[in-house]
Amino acid sequence: MMLDIRDLTVSYRTRTGPVPAVRNLTLTVAAGEAVALVGESGSGKSATAFAVMGLLPDTARVEGSVRLADRELLGLSDRELSAVRGRQVAMVHQDPLAALTPVIPVGRQVAEAIAVHQPGLRRRDATERAVELLDRVGIAAARRRAGALPHEFSGGMRQRVAIAMAIANDPDLIIADEPTSALDTTVQAQILDLLDDVRARTGAALLLITHDLGVVARSCDRIAVLRRGELVEQGPVTKRFRRPASAHLRDLLTASGAEPPTAVAQVTAAGAGPLAAAVRATASDVGPTASEVEQAEPGAGAALRITGLRRHFPVRRGAVVRAVDGVDLTVDTGEAVALIGESGCGKTTVLREIIALRRPQEGTIALFGADVSGLRRRDRTALRGQVQMVMQDPASSLNPTMSVADVVAEPLRVHGWSRPDSRSRAREVLGLVGLSDEHAGRRPGQLSGGQRQRVAIARALAPGPRLVLLDEPVSALDTSLRVGIMDLLADLRERFGLAFLMTSHDLTLLRRTVDRVTVMYAGRVVETGPAADVLYAPAHPYTRALVAATPVADVAAARAGRGSAPAGEPPDPLDRTDGCAFRRRCPLHRELSAPDRARCGQVPLLAPVDRRQVACHHTDHALGGLGTHPAVEGHPAR
Amino acid sequence: MTTLGAGRRRGAALSASAVRAVGRLLARLAARLGVCLAAVLLTYTLAALSFDPLAELRTTQPPTPQSVIDARATALGLDLPVLPRFGQWLAGAVTGDFGTTADGHDIAGEVSARAGTSIRLFLPGGVLAVLFGCGFGIWGALRAGSAADKLSMATALLLLAIPVFVLGTVLKLLWLPVNEAAGTDLLPFSGERTPGSDLAGWAALGDRLRHLVLPTIAIALPQIAFYSRYQRAAMLEVRDSEFLRAARGRGLRRGRAVRRHGLRMALIPMAPLVAFSFGLHLAGGVFTERIFGWHGLGDWLVTAIERQDANVVATATLLMAVLVVMVGWLADLALLLLDPRTRT
Amino acid sequence: MNVHRPIALTGAGLLALLVLAASVGPLLLPFTHTDQDLRNVLAAPSGAHPLGTARLGEDMLALCLRGLQKSLVIGLLAAVLTTALSALVGTVAGYLGGVADRVLMMVVDVLLVLPPILAVAVLSPALRGSSWLVLVLLIATFQWMVTSRVVRARARSLRVAGYVVAAENTGASTTRIVTRHLLPQMVPLLAIDCTLNVASAVLAEAGLSYFGFGVQPPDVSLGTLVATGTGSALTFPWVFLAPVGFLTATVLAAAMLGEGLRDDA
């Protein structure tokens, strides 16, 4: 066995006594094998990793046995462990910015990682080798970039640097602690591909720590599931995913939206090919929605109607961040619309512009038929009650010094409700989200993460809104809690006829909760249409890349998606591109003939393609030249 | 060929960043000078509001004729509003003419002597304070929680609780028995050098150094206590940082990781701290000058306040503010060297 | 903020003891601070005068307690004023940002170049003969800058805190956000800084009085007592050491309390 952990127990000394983090964990990793260590926050997975590395803080107490290539690591001195770390076993950390020393150029940090295990190595040779490594992990212009500081790199590039350091001495084992959870979807796929690649070359075993079963399905041979410091299940990924032995893994699988493999596999593997049409047919059978009817007469009963919205932020030295650059969007009464895209695409700015209820920089925002720029003070106050927002992280969006009841009553107090009235209304809405009177008196800090997000939802419901904006409502929560919150939201929407506008990067959850999806890239809408169409048979090359890069908790589908990550990184919002912003990363663009390619130099406008709208000059190519499928003929393009 | 090309490119990049860095330093200097001028203006205004240089003339017996008082007021420029008066004084000060004292002496003649004395007193004390302060702080953080660390932290707290003007006198009290036992002033209590002595060369230097020991300790001790506490906190934060853990994960041993990756990060917050707190330490030095009989800027300023002499107050404040600006600028420079992130 | 740390407890206990001594102590002594025992002038500590006597035969203990009273009152009042001013300036600058922030922080920068003690000293000739309350005001006026910077930094970070944004989204007014969301978060921070400001204010008063710019005779404070004692420090050490002891104890107690609270905040 490469790595052999037996009866590992880790506990932390605290003022109130020892707190256990890992209990009697037994786990092995064979040479060349990829093992996933899965668990939610606080399950002890990171503590296990650091115990292997011998890098736990001094307050930790470690018992049991950790053997690496038949050598016991526990109890070794710092000198002995230092010879092992970085040479036999290397680590990739979760947050690549925090794991690199901010004031030392990355090249020198890589060179040091090499030189520390080769004392005789000349400095120039180490530098040379560092450049080679940076080049190998896909850093363009490696020689020049080696002199740059960590903060001058993007998140994905930093993680590449970290991987370069990890493989610097051809280790036998790489421990990766949530290596992609701080990254965007397409970049995550790139980094996972890179890990595959370096392992194929070095033959290193991998211990991958993650909470994401999609990542597990894609990259690992075996899985070990931790819950509250204890191993609840382990075995081959394929087998365990098909027949989970523990309730915990079953819950996690459900929450990850493990669906019948066929549909997903076809989409992710094939993108838009001949199969796409078939999928589309299935999808539209499944998802006939009210919105289609509503769409027939645009604007009628629209809860929200945005046209030509622009929001540019001036930054120093005259540069401008074009966060939102001409967005049209409609949410009908009672409809749920999702806004998706990677970080920096402008989706959150759109929500902020709406909730501000002010005249936008450019464009119009109309709520329930009333243009916000013409509002008087009194009307604006009245409107505020109708539009509410739920934010991403309930841990920060609830004031820790206020009681839950006061938190929920706040928007009512702002709208002039009396104290007793707002109190009783707060009780009422807390009941709606499944919290009792007993919770009302507590502070947010005394609630669990899921309960806190329920409080945030209750606060949004209190004034009786008709439109609720949800900014990544579940992404700060553990996987197993997400389904519960999404179900609650769906239930509330149905009961009160609410309209939702929701941002999210969890495409799996969206598939079953929203009617329509709008995809943003670099401040513009690139595709919008019925959820089933957009998510199951994406038309725009970017949407296709995004869907393909989304890890799915299905082994066959996930593995089929390997190596298909789009090149490049999400665009820098400071970097203005004229024409199609995606063309530099676009796989389609590369295949086009020269005259076709030239058209990409102009900004593509949204144009109808069957039931959706797509902003691409080459939609015919994008859809594989299939023409219209019988199933969608009934919805002629407008 | 490639290496050559890369070298040239790198050289170009370096010089570009050097130009940016120099530009940044100049901008910082301008900002600091602006703040310094505003502070002097404020002092001048306060002094003009507060002082009444004609009070003595008014209370003489027999009474001074009004015409004489008016003439004096005109001579002192008191008929002008504060701002133009300050403008006049500043215009002179820039050319080295700092005006006259209330009793008619030329101020410029005393400037270099006063400033020199203060610099001779502050430079060694300040440098020692930064070195030892950072040293103790790092030393303590690396053995945080140990008895030695607790003792040094307690000492620092105590030192900060002792007023500067008490510390000097206490040092004298403690040293007194030694001087008495030696029968001579081994370490003198007063002045920069033995008055009236005709020592020359090394002997003169030795005499100056012996005069310097106690005041330097009095200046350095509270600053050491002050800096060491901040340095300790900064080092503690670095000690627990993820990048240090990651560096050890690459195979660096604990000590080397701290030296190569931690130290510089821990020193970075000290540069702005020195810049920001130097004015306060300078104010403390006023007491030290007084207690040890050094006729520096602080002593000058206090005497001038007692005599209600606005021009001297303004001059002394200007010189002290210039010292603050210079130290602040040195700190800017140090920050630029320590933290390459600030160079872009 | 954990009040139960040993260092915080020790500081609080010492401070309580000093306040008690200053308020009740003088009533229990057989002498007032002005009584002159002319047969025992500059006498060393003894049974009758535990801390010795001063130049005119005044009992040092009575003098010190009287001085302590004044120093404590000035220190506490000045600290409260300082903290209130810092909280106001810091929250306004930090939350509103923009021009208000720039102007206020410029004022802070200018005042930081000018050591508070010197600024008050320059003003002292104009204030000769006015009440010690003016001294309190002046100390606060020139001492609020450091705390206000800390408060501003906190307010800036809170400005983007989820719950502040959430309150803005519901249309809450600036006043409501400041009073309901920002200030309650600052209470621990302000309590700590207030304690530390007591130490600074006591030191500032003592320093000013030392130069004769602070408390004016016949009133005494620890600062004036130290100043008077310094001249005789080498010959009659108790005249110097007695007030120094009280002064150091007061500052140390406040600093310990503040530090003990800060470590956990």
Side-chain angles (χ1 to χ4, degrees):
Chain A
M1 276 300 139
M2 192 66 252
L3 176 69
D4 190 352
I5 302 175
R6 294 212 176 276
D7 292 325
L8 180 73
T9 296
V10 178
S11 59
Y12 294 104
R13 269 199 316 274
T14 65
R15 242 179 248 161
T16 50
V19 173
V22 181
R23 272 177 277 193
N24 293 320
L25 174 69
T26 295
L27 180 74
T28 58
V29 181
E33 191 185 23
V35 175
L37 191 55
V38 172
E40 307 202 308
S41 50
S43 61
K45 50 194 199 304
S46 288
T48 308
F50 286 114
V52 173
M53 297 293 289
L55 289 175
L56 285 168
D58 295 337
T59 52
R61 203 180 129 87
V62 186
E63 288 161 301
S65 155
V66 175
R67 301 176 75 82
L68 186 73
D70 290 327
R71 181 179 181 207
E72 178 62 52
L73 294 185
L74 294 189
L76 290 190
S77 68
D78 185 47
R79 172 205 285 271
E80 290 162 324
L81 271 174
S82 293
V84 175
R85 294 185 201 127
R87 198 164 62 85
Q88 280 181 279
V89 45
M91 186 155 180
V92 178
H93 294 249
Q94 171 168 13
D95 179 356
L97 183 58
L100 291 166
T101 307
V103 293
I104 303 181
V106 293
R108 268 183 42 208
Q109 299 196 46
V110 179
E112 183 192 49
I114 301 163
V116 71
H117 294 292
Q118 300 177 41
L121 192 67
R122 277 185 310 172
R123 202 186 163 133
R124 252 188 55 193
D125 296 340
T127 313
E128 206 50 37
R129 182 119 161 72
V131 172
E132 274 168 37
L133 275 170
L134 289 174
D135 186 56
R136 195 203 289 179
V137 296
I139 295 201
R143 193 172 297 280
R144 186 167 53 82
R145 298 292 280 159
L149 295 168
H151 76 277
E152 298 171 297
F153 282 76
S154 68
M157 287 297 155
R158 279 183 216 128
Q159 204 56 298
R160 286 174 191 271
V161 173
I163 290 173
M165 289 196 282
I167 60 171
N169 298 293
D170 277 334
D172 305 320
L173 172 67
I174 298 174
I175 299 180
D177 184 6
E178 301 268 13
T180 58
S181 54
L183 304 175
D184 270 316
T185 318
T186 55
V187 181
Q188 158 166 301
Q190 291 169 7
I191 294 296
L192 292 173
D193 282 349
L194 175 63
L195 271 175
D196 285 348
D197 178 50
V198 299
R199 280 186 54 233
R201 287 202 222 182
T202 61
L206 175 70
L207 180 61
L208 181 69
I209 290 160
T210 182
H211 66 276
D212 189 335
L213 293 183
V215 171
V216 177
R218 186 193 171 293
S219 301
C220 296
D221 309 318
R222 279 198 306 126
I223 180 175
V225 183
L226 273 184
R227 184 159 193 257
R228 293 188 194 144
E230 286 182 76
L231 189 70
V232 293
E233 168 160 14
Q234 69 167 322
V237 172
T238 346
K239 219 173 183 176
R240 295 273 72 93
F241 272 34
R242 214 177 306 130
R243 276 188 301 278
S246 64
H248 189 56
L249 181 57
R250 210 173 307 136
D251 289 349
L252 291 177
L253 280 167
T254 318
S256 308
E259 287 175 55
T262 46
V264 185
Q266 286 161 348
V267 174
T268 40
L275 285 170
V279 174
R280 219 180 314 148
T282 343
S284 43
D285 286 346
V286 177
T289 55
S291 64
E292 288 170 43
V293 185
E294 301 267 348
Q295 271 185 326
E297 18 178 350
L304 169 73
R305 188 171 188 79
I306 294 176
T307 50
L309 181 68
R310 229 172 269 274
R311 178 70 170 132
H312 294 185
F313 297 97
V315 287
R316 67 200 158 93
R317 284 182 210 154
V320 170
V321 171
R322 316 212 293 190
V324 176
D325 212 13
V327 162
D328 298 340
L329 184 71
T330 310
V331 179
D332 289 323
T333 310
E335 190 189 25
V337 174
L339 210 47
I340 64 172
E342 292 172 284
S343 58
C345 73
K347 54 188 194 298
T348 302
T349 308
V350 170
L351 294 192
R352 290 210 187 115
E353 288 297 296
I354 300 167
I355 197 76
L357 300 186
R358 275 191 313 258
R359 177 198 297 274
Q361 226 168 36
E362 217 174 287
T364 57
I365 300 174
L367 286 156
F368 315 109
D371 189 328
V372 293
S373 42
L375 286 182
R376 288 183 204 178
R377 199 190 171 85
R378 201 186 318 137
D379 300 334
R380 179 167 296 140
T381 314
L383 200 54
R384 277 205 196 279
Q386 314 240 319
V387 188
Q388 291 289 308
M389 181 153 165
V390 175
M391 298 200 296
Q392 180 170 5
D393 184 6
S396 79
S397 72
L398 309 177
N399 188 336
T401 58
M402 285 163 76
S403 73
V404 165
D406 283 347
V407 167
V408 176
E410 171 155 53
L412 302 171
R413 300 283 294 148
V414 169
H415 286 105
W417 287 47
S418 73
R419 196 175 291 269
D421 285 356
S422 58
R423 273 276 158 84
S424 65
R425 171 72 179 158
R427 291 257 148 83
E428 189 187 330
V429 285
L430 279 171
L432 286 177
V433 298
L435 295 175
S436 65
D437 278 7
E438 179 223 347
H439 295 110
R442 295 204 204 155
R443 313 264 148 196
Q446 296 164 301
L447 302 179
S448 70
Q451 286 172 332
R452 271 184 238 154
Q453 195 61 311
R454 281 168 197 267
V455 174
I457 293 169
R459 170 173 62 188
L461 289 183
R466 290 198 284 158
L467 171 65
V468 180
L469 310 177
L470 301 133
D471 187 11
E472 300 269 3
V474 295
S475 67
L477 304 178
D478 271 330
T479 319
S480 60
L481 297 170
R482 293 183 181 176
V483 177
I485 295 293
M486 291 305 275
D487 286 350
L488 170 71
L489 285 171
D491 176 49
L492 291 168
R493 181 161 82 94
E494 196 168 310
R495 280 173 71 182
F496 300 103
L498 302 173
F500 279 174
L501 178 60
M502 176 187 310
T503 66
S504 178
H505 65 257
D506 192 337
L507 304 191
T508 322
L509 276 177
L510 288 181
R511 286 190 169 115
R512 54 183 185 203
T513 33
V514 297
D515 305 321
R516 277 194 305 123
V517 171
T518 294
V519 187
M520 284 183 71
Y521 189 79
R524 297 208 176 97
V525 174
V526 296
E527 179 165 1
T528 179
D533 290 14
V534 175
L535 295 176
Y536 284 94
H540 193 281
Y542 173 64
T543 319
R544 276 198 269 157
L546 194 64
V547 171
T550 302
V552 279
D554 176 89
V555 180
R559 293 199 181 157
R562 280 183 182 180
S564 66
E569 307 223 336
D572 178 353
L574 265 173
D575 194 7
R576 52 172 72 198
T577 332
D578 25 296
C580 175
F582 188 60
R583 71 178 188 278
R584 272 187 242 160
R585 304 174 68 193
C586 183
L588 181 63
H589 180 71
R590 259 172 267 144
E591 292 165 12
L592 293 172
S593 63
D596 277 348
R597 206 179 277 190
R599 287 166 64 199
C600 296
Q602 278 162 9
V603 178
L605 301 174
L606 281 174
V609 174
D610 54 59
R611 295 186 301 172
R612 59 185 131 188
Q613 305 223 311
V614 182
C616 176
H617 295 296
H618 311 283
T619 34
D620 41 342
H621 295 267
L623 286 170
L626 275 175
T628 334
H629 189 274
V632 286
E633 265 172 357
H635 307 275
R638 276 179 278 122
Chain B
M1 193 58 222
T2 39
T3 23
L4 254 180
R8 213 178 305 134
R9 265 204 309 281
R10 205 159 147 219
L14 261 184
S15 65
S17 81
V19 167
R20 267 200 303 274
V22 169
R24 236 185 144 77
L25 273 178
L26 288 178
R28 292 294 297 151
L29 183 64
R32 286 190 182 279
L33 277 174
V35 167
C36 148
L37 270 188
V40 177
L41 169 63
L42 182 63
T43 319
Y44 196 89
T45 314
L46 290 181
L49 287 175
S50 165
F51 296 172
D52 182 7
L54 306 176
E56 243 176 275
L57 286 179
R58 283 206 203 92
T59 52
T60 50
Q61 231 14 283
T64 320
Q66 189 58 40
S67 59
V68 176
I69 297 182
D70 289 347
R72 181 104 182 92
T74 315
L76 289 175
L78 296 184
D79 49 344
L80 284 175
V82 177
L83 213 55
R85 226 193 300 164
F86 176 73
Q88 270 185 7
W89 176 82
L90 188 67
V94 171
T95 62
D97 172 15
F98 295 91
T100 55
T101 61
D103 45 6
H105 294 291
D106 188 29
I107 293 177
E110 216 175 332
V111 162
S112 64
R114 290 286 184 172
T117 302
S118 278
I119 291 172
R120 282 193 294 277
L121 181 62
F122 265 94
L123 196 66
V127 170
L128 284 179
V130 171
L131 290 179
F132 278 90
C134 295
F136 272 120
I138 289 165
W139 177 85
L142 292 180
R143 41 188 68 57
S146 69
D149 171 52
K150 280 180 180 156
L151 184 69
S152 81
M153 279 301 100
T155 314
L157 204 57
L158 179 68
L159 276 174
L160 285 177
I162 298 177
V164 188
F165 52 89
V166 168
L167 189 64
T169 312
V170 168
L171 282 176
K172 284 187 185 179
L173 261 180
L174 291 176
W175 191 258
L176 187 63
V178 183
N179 270 358
E180 278 174 348
T184 164
D185 280 359
L186 224 47
L187 294 179
F189 287 169
S190 181
E192 259 196 278
R193 57 197 181 87
T194 311
S197 70
D198 46 5
L199 295 169
W202 290 110
L205 184 67
D207 181 55
R208 275 182 180 271
L209 284 180
R210 282 191 296 120
H211 278 82
L212 197 55
V213 173
L214 287 178
T216 300
I217 296 176
I219 287 210
L221 269 185
Q223 291 188 59
I224 291 176
F226 179 82
Y227 290 134
S228 73
R229 287 159 47 82
Y230 281 94
Q231 181 66 82
R232 179 176 178 274
M235 189 70 211
L236 272 183
E237 201 167 294
V238 167
R239 192 193 64 165
D240 298 335
S241 67
E242 190 70 9
F243 65 80
L244 209 59
R245 179 142 86 160
R248 293 182 62 207
R250 280 172 240 144
L252 270 71
R253 292 178 54 191
R254 195 190 286 259
R256 184 164 170 199
V258 167
R259 279 195 307 279
R260 299 284 292 273
H261 293 260
L263 216 51
R264 195 152 143 200
M265 288 298 288
L267 285 173
I268 286 172
M270 296 307 284
L273 181 73
V274 170
F276 155 91
S277 64
F278 184 70
L280 295 173
H281 297 310
L282 200 60
V286 174
F287 295 99
T288 315
E289 285 187 5
R290 275 268 162 144
I291 288 164
F292 288 98
W294 285 52
H295 299 297
L297 292 173
D299 172 68
W300 205 19
L301 181 62
V302 172
T303 320
I305 296 173
E306 283 163 355
R307 290 194 191 143
Q308 308 205 11
D309 191 333
N311 279 352
V312 177
V313 166
T315 307
T317 313
L318 177 66
L319 294 173
M320 288 170 86
V322 166
L323 280 184
V324 172
V325 168
M326 275 162 42
V327 170
W329 195 63
L330 281 178
D332 290 337
L333 183 67
L335 185 65
L336 222 57
L337 293 175
L338 281 172
D339 188 350
R341 287 170 297 178
T342 56
R343 283 175 219 161
T344 47
Chain C
M1 202 159 70
N2 183 355
V3 194
H4 301 291
R5 285 169 52 89
I7 178 168
L9 275 182
T10 317
L14 189 55
L15 204 56
L17 211 65
L18 285 165
V19 170
L20 195 72
S23 47
V24 182
L27 306 175
L28 305 177
L29 285 180
F31 323 95
T32 70
H33 70 286
T34 45
D35 285 350
Q36 300 175 358
D37 183 353
L38 291 172
R39 271 166 310 171
N40 282 314
V41 169
L42 286 172
S46 64
H49 301 286
L51 295 179
T53 61
R55 202 172 301 272
L56 295 172
E58 304 101 318
D59 181 59
M60 274 316 292
L61 181 57
L63 272 176
C64 283
L65 290 180
R66 173 72 187 181
L68 178 64
Q69 219 175 54
K70 186 109 278 171
S71 287
L72 274 176
V73 169
I74 292 179
L76 290 171
L77 276 180
V80 169
L81 273 179
T82 302
T83 312
L85 198 58
S86 325
L88 185 71
V89 174
T91 3
V92 167
Y95 179 65
L96 293 184
V99 181
D101 181 39
R102 285 223 211 124
V103 170
L104 286 172
M105 286 305 112
M106 211 136 74
V107 172
V108 167
D109 281 342
V110 170
L111 288 177
L112 275 173
V113 176
L114 191 70
I117 204 168
L118 297 182
V120 182
V122 169
L123 277 175
S124 69
L127 307 166
R128 198 139 285 173
S130 49
S131 147
W132 57 269
L133 282 169
V134 176
L135 185 64
V136 169
L137 271 177
L138 279 182
I139 291 179
T141 310
F142 289 97
Q143 204 188 253
W144 54 274
M145 293 83 69
V146 177
T147 305
S148 82
R149 277 201 159 188
V150 179
V151 172
R152 169 183 172 268
R154 187 97 172 89
R156 269 180 82 93
S157 68
L158 287 179
R159 182 165 71 153
V160 293
Y163 55 87
V164 173
V165 177
E168 285 169 350
N169 286 346
T170 63
S173 63
T174 305
T175 324
R176 186 180 171 90
I177 287 172
V178 168
T179 54
R180 291 283 284 165
H181 294 285
L182 296 181
L183 286 179
Q185 291 299 313
M186 306 246 186
V187 166
L189 179 101
L190 291 176
I192 291 161
D193 268 69
C194 188
T195 323
L196 294 173
N197 284 335
V198 172
S200 315
V202 169
L203 277 178
E205 179 279 318
L208 285 167
S209 300
Y210 179 82
F211 280 140
F213 300 139
V215 170
Q216 299 300 323
D219 222 343
V220 294
S221 76
L222 290 178
T224 62
L225 288 173
V226 175
T228 329
T230 304
S232 339
L234 301 186
T235 41
F236 308 101
W238 58 89
V239 189
F240 170 70
L241 289 179
V244 162
F246 277 101
L247 183 56
T248 306
T250 311
V251 177
L252 189 62
M256 280 169 80
L257 179 58
E259 278 312 309
L261 297 176
R262 173 152 76 182
D263 276 3
D264 278 298

